[in-house]
Amino acid sequence: MTTNEALLVPRRARGWRMGLANMLSKELAAWWRTRRGLVQCMVALLVANGSLAINLSSKEANNVENATLAFMVTAALCVPFAAVSLAQESILGEKHSGTAAWVLSKPLRRPAYVLAKLIAHGLGLFVAWIALVGVVGYFQLLKPADAYFTPLRIAGVMGLNYLNLLFFLTLALMLATFFNSRGSVLGISLVLAWAGPMPFISAPVLKYASWLYDILPWKLLIDFNANRPLAFYLINRLPLPTVVPIIATALWCVLFTAVAIGRMSREEF
């Protein structure tokens, strides 16, 4: 048996899973066998935990609570940008270079193509922006907060952060199947991401369509209307006033993924 033959691993998957394992292996390799994973981890630590460290060093009263709120604001603003940038480049970059057409000419079903990218980016972003940031953040808050923030509370907050991340990851993947312009995907996604946290945008939303706060992920990490996001209740072990934004965000993720698969299945290369 030659070396090349030894490297060929037969896959017996059928239906929509055809090619998923090979495509997922390729996407994971792009994360952890290149500098992408390391760069994302470094950026996440610098942005999220760096901002937390700066706010914790403040001498103002209640600086721990203020630093925690600022940490959630940073997550609400920066995590969507990381997710959208990677997701839109993942599909649009391959469409523009012709790689997508070449890959899909192989024994690879289009649902598997989309799902491999979603799983790989979802895992990579989880490690960099959720698990790593959450663990480091816990140790940053351990002494200043006098062990008030338990691992379970931090995990709850980071869980909401991850749900917020998945919303914009799946949104960008879906938009990338409709548009050929990076600017369109990035612009639409970031306007939606920052419409909630930015007061000059959120003011008309609160006035004319306040119900959007219940069906979009804005209220998970930051809510300028009452300044009490759902993450605040979790981190202080208080009963959640509502779970509608959590359920709605999860359903949006499923819908965006289904639409992306449907659109990709009709794409001509």
Side-chain angles (χ1 to χ4, degrees):
M1 179 181 293
T2 66
T3 303
N4 289 336
E5 289 173 335
L7 292 175
L8 295 176
V9 180
R11 303 294 185 182
R12 303 185 183 279
R14 294 290 184 268
W16 64 268
R17 295 185 294 112
M18 182 181 294
L20 176 61
N22 284 329
M23 190 65 190
L24 180 57
S25 177
K26 173 255 183 188
E27 293 293 333
L28 290 174
W31 260 94
W32 305 114
R33 294 183 185 178
T34 67
R35 291 181 294 179
R36 178 191 291 173
L38 178 61
V39 169
Q40 286 293 320
C41 288
M42 293 177 63
V43 171
L45 288 174
L46 180 63
V47 173
N49 298 104
S51 66
L52 180 59
I54 292 173
N55 284 287
L56 284 173
S57 65
S58 172
K59 301 301 182 182
E60 298 178 3
N62 299 323
N63 69 312
V64 173
E65 181 178 350
N66 293 335
T68 305
L69 289 174
F71 175 77
M72 290 187 287
V73 172
T74 302
L77 295 176
C78 296
V79 167
F81 183 80
V84 171
S85 298
L86 287 170
Q88 59 98 17
E89 183 61 30
S90 178
I91 289 183
L92 289 182
E94 292 189 357
K95 287 170 68 175
H96 292 168
S97 67
T99 303
W102 179 81
V103 169
L104 291 171
S105 68
K106 309 303 177 185
L108 171 67
R109 291 296 178 90
R110 300 192 180 201
Y113 177 82
V114 175
L115 290 175
K117 293 184 178 296
L118 174 59
I119 295 170
H121 288 311
L123 288 174
L125 290 167
F126 174 80
V127 172
W129 287 91
I130 306 300
L132 181 61
V133 168
V135 170
V136 174
Y138 168 73
F139 286 107
Q140 285 179 286
L141 291 166
L142 188 60
K143 184 177 179 180
D146 194 24
Y148 178 75
F149 298 127
T150 64
L152 188 59
R153 296 183 188 184
I154 297 294
V157 172
M158 299 313 292
L160 293 181
N161 192 12
Y162 190 51
L163 186 58
N164 180 62
L165 183 155
L166 285 178
F167 176 90
F168 290 101
L169 175 62
T170 54
L171 172 65
L173 285 173
M174 180 191 71
L175 292 176
T177 65
F178 283 92
F179 298 98
N180 288 318
S181 167
R182 291 178 174 85
S184 299
V185 177
L186 191 63
I188 294 173
S189 300
L190 292 186
V191 166
L192 186 58
W194 295 344
M198 295 297 185
F200 67 93
I201 302 178
S202 63
V205 174
L206 286 170
K207 183 176 181 180
Y208 299 107
S210 59
W211 52 270
L212 286 174
Y213 274 84
D214 290 324
I215 64 170
L216 291 173
W218 299 332
K219 194 178 285 188
L220 299 180
L221 298 172
I222 184 168
D223 180 9
F224 277 93
N225 187 27
N227 201 27
R228 287 295 180 266
L230 296 185
F232 172 85
Y233 293 90
L234 287 182
I235 209 165
N236 288 285
R237 201 184 293 174
L238 297 173
L240 293 176
T242 178
V243 294
V244 173
I246 297 175
I247 297 173
T249 302
L251 292 176
W252 280 119
C253 294
V254 175
L255 177 62
F256 292 155
T257 302
V259 172
I261 291 173
R263 172 62 182 172
M264 201 67 189
S265 299
R266 294 191 298 272
E267 184 77 21
E268 295 183 1
F269 293 95

